[in-house]
Amino acid sequence: MKKLFSFTIMILLINLNLPIYSQNKSGDNSFERVQKLGTLKVCSQAGFIPFEMKDNKGNWKGFDVDIMTEFAKQNSIKLQLIDTTLDGLIPALMTGKCDMIASGLTITEERKKAVLFSKPVFTVIVTAALLDTPENRSKYKTFSDIDSKGTKIATHTGSAATLYLKSILKNANHLQFDTESDEVNAVVQKRTNVFVEDNVFIAQASKEMKIDFYTLLSNEKGDLAMAVRKKDIQLIEKFNDFLDKLKKNGQYDSIKKNYFN
């Protein structure tokens, strides 16, 4: 009798053209949970220019921020950005502090073990940046040249560049800093010879500091993406669908042009 009653209700909903909320094939309802609460909590690290940053008034802006703002807007939910350190992003997600990560996070095999990534939102290249001097141009001609005895390399703890260098360095002295600004200042103040980041960040840092860095590209490319807990399949599928539409209707290119002219 209960089965017959449920079936009758389903038919009525279809005939009335009302939405039927149910779990997806994976058995989770992560997106519907966010919709019901009315707020999407997103962990992000302010300061990763131009992906996520804050202005003088503390307002968030950036490439990832604009994409997440549009995602929330189209689904009639409030966006709450939570400033989180890079190495604290995944732990914060796993403990429920946020629903998603949107922080220029590079897809890596190691991170795939912990989180579920969206489709790539941007691609960068791991790049070395040095002060543009005749000495540096003479000594370092290719990216591999930075792996030499006596060379001090600065990176940002937890970054894709840090993970990449750990896998290839044999001779150079690798120093890790808590923030991107610290690693850049280490080179500017000549405490290290080079810092390694993605090409987009280096270009932005060069612009902001009015310094023309001498750069060397590696062969390592990185796809940046949003991330959710591995069980939250419905939420990431909803975001992927949104991202596809954003690229088709031209909004993605418009947002990209604002930050990567």
Side-chain angles (χ1 to χ4, degrees), residues 167-181:
S167 69
I168 65 167
L169 289 184
K170 296 179 181 179
N171 302 303
N173 186 7
H174 183 194
L175 306 174
Q176 297 179 46
F177 294 84
D178 291 335
T179 67
E180 288 95 342
S181 60

Side-chain angles (χ1 to χ4, degrees), residues 78-147:
K78 180 183 176 182
L79 177 65
Q80 180 183 349
L81 289 161
I82 302 170
D83 200 353
T84 312
T85 60
L86 180 60
D87 57 355
L89 289 170
I90 292 179
L93 177 69
M94 302 307 291
T95 55
K97 186 177 180 180
C98 52
D99 306 299
M100 290 184 74
I101 295 173
S103 193
L105 199 64
T106 305
I107 299 173
T108 67
E109 292 303 315
E110 190 65 26
R111 287 170 177 166
K112 280 183 180 179
K113 296 176 183 178
V115 301
L116 184 62
F117 281 103
S118 69
K119 293 180 178 180
V121 297
F122 202 86
T123 300
V124 295
I125 303 172
V126 174
T127 303
L130 308 93
L131 294 178
D132 195 356
T133 66
E135 181 183 358
N136 282 338
R137 283 184 174 270
S138 175
K139 185 176 181 179
Y140 307 103
K141 297 184 183 300
T142 66
F143 186 89
S144 59
D145 289 338
I146 67 173
D147 185 19

Side-chain angles (χ1 to χ4, degrees), residues 48 50-53 60-69 255 259:
F48 186 42
F51 293 93
E52 36 273 326
M53 46 202 167
W60 286 85
K61 61 180 182 177
F63 178 74
D64 286 343
V65 175
D66 285 6
I67 288 179
M68 294 310 301
T69 298
I255 293 172
Y259 298 100

Side-chain angles (χ1 to χ4, degrees), residues 146-147 151-155 165 169 172-175 192 194-196:
I146 67 173
D147 185 19
T151 298
K152 295 180 180 180
I153 304 174
T155 62
L165 288 183
L169 289 184
N173 186 7
H174 183 194
L175 306 174
T192 61
V194 53
F195 75 90
V196 178

